[in-house]
Amino acid sequence: MLEVRNLHKAYRGGDDVLHGINFEVQPGEFVVVLGQSGAGKSTLLRCLNYLCLPSGGEIRVNGVRHNPASKSGRQAQRRHFAMVFQDHNLLGRLSVLKNVLVGRMSHIPFWSCLFQVFSRRDVALALQAIETVGLAEKAYERADSLSGGQQQRVGVARALVQRPAMMLADEPVASLDPQSARQVLNCLQNACRREKIAVVCNLHQLDYAMEYASRVIGLAGGKVVYDGPPESMTPQVVEAIYPGVAQNKSASIPETGAGGALCRNIPLAGAV
Ligand SMILES: Nc1ncnc2c1ncn2[C@@H]1O[C@H](COP(=O)(O)OP(=O)(O)OP(=O)(O)O)[C@@H](O)[C@H]1O
Ligand SMILES: [Mg+2]
């Protein structure tokens, strides 16, 4: 469904921060992108929906390459993707329902958004998405009265009503406690499993990658250094993704065994 070929990105004439990235994503995959700070994870995600314009290479969705240089090309590309942001980007004084309806903006006329007049179908879709993320009883409450984890689930519901082929999530659980983080990641995983939406999710927490990813892409210095299932990650792979960090933590890494068990011992969240 998504094909990324020889993707390069340099910011304003600087050096490349992405150096020829190649990968494909199929419907229903939960791809976690891991890498140290500055590895290029956010840049990669933003290139996929042309929020960042690639400097070279191409991105195809269902075999079609939309032209990033044209406004219509960027709009066409973005219709395939919905984004979940680290800081939710909700309108605090609006209700949960209205925040989720914002996700329908690209599907309805401008005046409808301006005057907050939504069709029954759109409201039903929004309520359904709110229920999917487990917040049915909060639908008419102000968004800023919800906890951080609940607000992030509203962000996921807003992404769901866009009916995207893919969801892009840039560190969606960075500021959440483990229980709230798992609730958000469960919502993303359900979208993958039930609706066959592909998710590409940047994370710093290796634990969560092991638990939720069907596939891990490891980035280091703007290059893919690992692409495969989480359970096949060896200490060498972890070292390639987090140079120096895994070595420093080698006391926690068994010499042998499945990656799933050994990687779980590395407390990387605070170390990157
Ligand atoms: N708007 C920008 N202008 C110039 N350079 C940028 C810009 N955004 C990112 N960079 C640079 O690109 C490189 C990759 O940054 P990016 O934000 O993609 O990394 P990241 O892996 O998401 O890091 P983090 O884990 O800290 O979010 C870094 O060297 C960064 O300084
Ligand atoms: Mg980032």
Side-chain angles (χ1 to χ4, degrees), residues 131-192:
E131 194 179 342
T132 302
V133 300
L135 291 172
E137 77 287 1
K138 304 277 184 191
Y140 297 97
E141 293 189 18
R142 275 175 65 126
D144 56 9
S145 71
L146 272 57
S147 71
Q150 289 170 334
Q151 290 192 32
Q152 189 56 291
R153 282 190 275 155
V154 177
V156 174
R158 182 182 54 193
L160 282 172
V161 294
Q162 294 172 49
R163 298 279 164 114
M166 298 189 67
M167 296 218 286
L168 306 176
D170 197 357
E171 298 190 36
V173 298
S175 53
L176 302 181
D177 63 81
Q179 190 191 0
S180 304
R182 284 202 167 79
Q183 286 173 337
V184 170
L185 291 168
N186 284 333
C187 291
L188 291 172
Q189 193 175 55
N190 285 340
C192 285

